[in-house]
Amino acid sequence: AVLGCEKMAPPLAFDDVLVEIGTFGRFQLRQFLLMILPLVFNAFSNLSYVFTAADLKYRCYIPECENRTDAAYLTEWLPAAVPYQRNQPAGCERYEAFVNITGDYLQCQASDFNHSAITRCFDFVDDFNTSAIIPCDAFVFQTEESTIVRDFNITCAHNDWKLTLVGTINNVGQFVALPIAGYLSDRFGRRWILLVSVAGSALFGLVRSFATSYEMFIAMEFLDPVIGSTMYTTAFILALELVGPKMRVTGNNIISCAFSFGEALLGLLAMYFRDWRVLLRILYIPGLLALPFLYTTVESVRWLLSKNRKDEAFTILKRAAKLNGKTISQAAFERFNCIETKSGSAKSLDTQTYAQLLREALANPALVLRVINCSFCWLTNTMVYFGLSLNSVSLSGNKYLNFILVSLIELPGFFLMQLILDRVGRKKTLFTTLVLSGLFCIISVFIADIDAPALHLTLFLLSKLSITMSFGTLYIYTVEIFPTNLRQSLLSTCSMFGRIGSMIAPQTPLLAKVWTPLPMILFGCLGISSAITSLQFPETLNNELPNTLEEAMNMQGNDIPATDR
């Protein structure tokens, strides 16, 4: 296929071909629009537990004073029966009645209750028989909102871990799935893995909505990301590999905006569908309906080339040129077909098995160091990013509106990233945004006792803005520093270790009970430490995506020298 290549003009690189067919025309736009669907579904899958496993406000049901059918959360007599904390009735404590009879005899006045004896709702002591412990599982909820707290009776402080465990289990599923999905995607193609992940996630999400116990709910919460967690990385690569170097930041921002809108849409849907079972069905049914549309997407051209399936790749490129209103000459295709690896020792994927490629990568200490460094950056970004998103519902005001606003505050970050990333480069942007996110978190600790809600909110939003820019930069950076034939596997590996951060993030409310400033101090220290280590990455501004290991390790401005082979 390459006879006479020596007599031709220099071979065309893939990025040069993209310039001829259009770096971001109708073809790429159509691909991006299709990829928006799995990105939105991934936002649903990653964060639906914020609302399905949300804690609720409730108090003990007082059978001496009210009926279950018409019990109200706040009543005139309630302060006589229940202790108050910060002007709100205690969730799991009540005053013990002096007499243990029901009916009209007890008038529910302060004199009817012994305020020196506080009874916990789940440890009720009978007045007449102190050896009889009667569990109290009856509560009056503030609103009609339904989460697993109400359906599975996950109430009071001793059950807090069950709620925080849901988010952790979701991320454990992602941790388990990502390296396997990365291997399968690199081995069998991005397109089919995308279809399987969308379908699997939708299926387990729907089954979860019919859960009859906490254990069944947790099991489905785990299986959902095990199958569907690769949606984001696969859609990201399918969309971004088709655009030219100068349009990658724009493409990255489109993808990031889609995920943010997915988060905001989740908050909006949760606001109107406050039954967690109904909400899950609203979120996951569209995944099944979208499968016919996603089936029409094209396979990654770069992956096809790395598999030496050039005919299929050329067909897609010709289709792209036609849709973009461009033409590409046969001579250009022949020059592109003659492309050889710059290093004579490099081999294509068709002559090397995946295991051989992986062994070659692990034998390169510089690449191993880069993967470790990248993984630490991912851990930091995921912990801070998801930690701030999860804590947004604890801000004062409407929790749904807060979640939507904290999701939408990411959009200015993408626009700022668009302005500066191609001007100052990836390395400086990543370093600066990580430092800022860390500083804002640490500053919030020192002003925690100041009564300035606006200042606290401002710091919270600035932290989210900074980590959003950092996360967006890290995604495009990770794509650019690894070779094509290992790109998704190594991206998935870094993302897998990043899930350690998002596994810890749902537990930060429990960390705060040990020491209130601990979560923000942890976020701040990690941000600044990760910023320092990120200085070891090479600058990739305006570089072509590396196709081989040698190209990846000898990129211009590389701070980590390639090892001699």
Side-chain angles (χ1 to χ4, degrees):
V2 294
L3 292 177
C5 285
E6 296 82 357
K7 300 178 181 179
M8 288 186 178
L12 281 180
F14 181 68
D15 286 337
D16 296 326
V17 175
L18 285 179
V19 173
E20 288 208 18
I21 67 171
T23 57
F24 200 86
R26 290 178 59 192
F27 180 82
Q28 287 90 343
L29 181 60
R30 179 183 180 277
Q31 184 82 343
F32 264 85
L33 291 176
L34 283 173
M35 291 304 100
I36 284 175
L37 294 174
L39 294 171
V40 171
F41 299 152
N42 186 247
F44 294 166
S45 175
N46 281 1
L47 292 169
S48 62
Y49 66 84
V50 173
F51 299 104
T52 60
D55 203 358
L56 301 174
K57 285 190 176 181
Y58 49 83
R59 64 167 176 83
C60 278
Y61 169 65
I62 312 296
E64 299 91 344
C65 303
E66 58 190 340
N67 296 318
R68 292 299 302 269
T69 55
D70 59 356
Y73 180 69
L74 295 178
T75 64
E76 292 183 0
W77 51 262
L78 193 60
V82 175
Y84 270 55
Q85 301 168 352
R86 298 178 181 177
N87 297 322
Q88 291 292 321
C92 298
E93 296 176 340
R94 57 163 292 182
Y95 295 126
E96 183 181 15
F98 279 120
V99 290
N100 188 31
I101 58 177
T102 59
D104 297 331
Y105 177 81
L106 194 60
Q107 301 300 312
C108 297
Q109 299 174 357
S111 59
D112 294 321
F113 295 89
N114 181 2
H115 286 203
S116 64
I118 297 177
T119 303
R120 296 187 181 277
C121 287
F122 54 86
D123 192 18
F124 190 91
V125 181
D126 191 288
D127 290 322
F128 297 100
N129 183 2
T130 56
S131 64
I133 306 298
I134 303 174
C136 176
D137 57 357
F139 298 88
V140 177
F141 290 85
Q142 184 181 35
T143 68
E144 293 300 317
E145 180 182 2
S146 175
T147 71
I148 63 172
V149 169
R150 186 191 289 264
D151 281 15
F152 303 142
N153 197 28
I154 307 174
T155 52
C156 302
H158 68 293
N159 279 323
D160 283 347
W161 66 272
K162 290 185 178 180
L163 297 180
T164 59
L165 181 64
V166 175
T168 297
I169 286 294
N170 181 285
N171 286 283
V172 168
Q174 297 181 49
F175 184 87
V176 170
L178 283 174
I180 301 172
Y183 164 74
L184 293 175
S185 182
D186 278 340
R187 192 67 180 168
F188 302 107
R190 284 50 160 145
R191 179 170 168 268
W192 282 107
I193 295 300
L194 179 68
L195 292 171
V196 170
S197 65
V198 172
S201 176
L203 178 62
F204 286 116
L206 288 174
V207 173
R208 188 160 79 252
S209 74
F210 293 96
T212 57
S213 66
Y214 175 76
E215 291 74 18
M216 180 179 175
F217 179 89
I218 280 289
M220 294 302 105
E221 188 74 49
F222 174 75
L223 292 174
D224 177 358
V226 164
I227 300 297
S229 59
T230 190
M231 266 187 283
Y232 193 110
T233 53
T234 305
F236 185 89
I237 288 179
L238 272 175
L240 206 59
E241 281 190 339
L242 287 167
V243 301
K246 293 185 178 180
M247 292 299 296
R248 285 185 198 135
V249 174
T250 300
N252 179 73
N253 286 343
I254 292 175
I255 292 172
S256 300
C257 287
F259 187 84
S260 297
F261 277 118
E263 291 178 299
L265 181 59
L266 168 62
L268 185 64
L269 291 173
M271 181 186 297
Y272 287 100
F273 300 97
R274 301 197 179 187
D275 184 317
W276 68 274
R277 297 181 187 274
V278 175
L279 176 63
L280 284 179
R281 292 161 197 166
I282 295 294
L283 295 177
Y284 283 97
I285 287 176
L288 296 177
L289 300 178
L291 289 176
F293 298 98
L294 295 176
Y295 183 80
T296 65
T297 191
V298 298
E299 183 56 87
S300 164
V301 175
R302 291 182 184 273
W303 179 82
L304 290 171
L305 291 173
S306 72
K307 283 290 200 177
N308 204 28
R309 293 161 61 175
K310 294 184 179 181
D311 290 342
E312 295 174 61
F314 292 164
T315 300
I316 293 174
L317 291 175
K318 290 176 182 177
R319 177 183 167 191
K322 182 178 180 181
L323 196 59
N324 289 344
K326 302 278 187 176
T327 57
I328 182 168
S329 64
Q330 185 63 32
F333 269 119
E334 290 175 356
R335 288 174 58 198
F336 178 56
N337 197 35
C338 287
I339 189 167
E340 296 287 348
T341 349
K342 293 179 182 178
S343 169
S345 63
K347 303 174 185 176
S348 60
L349 188 58
D350 60 314
T351 60
Q352 281 183 295
T353 66
Y354 180 83
Q356 287 174 329
L357 283 166
L358 193 59
R359 281 197 298 270
E360 182 180 346
L362 294 176
N364 189 318
L367 183 65
V368 173
L369 178 61
R370 185 177 293 181
V371 172
I372 293 172
N373 195 356
C374 181
S375 299
F376 179 56
C377 280
W378 272 83
L379 184 148
T380 298
N381 277 270
T382 53
M383 180 184 292
V384 179
Y385 179 89
F386 286 107
L388 292 175
S389 294
L390 295 174
N391 284 296
S392 66
V393 295
S394 64
L395 295 174
S396 59
N398 185 305
K399 69 177 183 180
Y400 302 101
L401 184 59
N402 288 340
F403 185 85
I404 293 171
L405 292 177
V406 169
S407 299
L408 295 179
I409 196 63
E410 300 175 12
L411 300 180
F414 303 139
F415 291 125
L416 287 173
M417 192 169 64
Q418 175 81 39
L419 292 175
I420 67 174
L421 199 56
D422 280 339
R423 289 177 170 81
V424 303
R426 280 59 160 151
K427 181 190 292 188
K428 291 180 182 178
T429 302
L430 184 63
F431 173 81
T432 303
T433 52
L434 280 171
V435 167
L436 288 176
S437 68
L439 287 177
F440 289 136
C441 289
I442 291 175
I443 291 173
S444 68
V445 173
F446 290 99
I447 66 165
D449 296 330
I450 300 177
D451 185 17
L455 180 58
H456 293 299
L457 178 60
T458 299
L459 282 173
F460 189 94
L461 294 179
L462 287 174
S463 297
K464 185 64 185 294
L465 185 69
S466 299
I467 201 63
T468 297
M469 294 178 65
S470 173
F471 213 165
T473 303
L474 182 61
Y475 243 111
I476 193 169
Y477 215 169
T478 307
V479 169
E480 292 180 339
I481 61 177
F482 294 125
T484 297
N485 47 20
L486 290 170
R487 184 169 296 127
Q488 178 134 354
S489 292
L490 295 181
L491 172 59
S492 295
T493 299
C494 294
S495 181
M496 177 192 69
F497 283 101
R499 290 303 154 193
I500 296 175
S502 52
M503 278 188 271
I504 297 173
Q507 302 299 327
T508 52
L510 299 182
L511 294 177
K513 292 183 179 180
V514 177
W515 185 36
T516 303
L518 184 57
M520 298 306 284
I521 290 177
L522 180 62
F523 293 162
C525 292
L526 280 173
I528 294 174
S529 300
S530 184
I532 295 172
T533 62
S534 71
L535 293 175
Q536 294 302 310
F537 288 133
E539 179 54 69
T540 60
L541 181 62
N542 291 328
N543 281 355
E544 294 181 359
L545 290 179
N547 289 310
T548 66
L549 180 60
E550 285 78 9
E551 289 177 4
M553 301 314 298
N554 289 285
M555 298 178 73
Q556 186 176 0
N558 195 349
D559 293 316
I560 307 175
T563 54
D564 294 331
R565 305 193 62 78

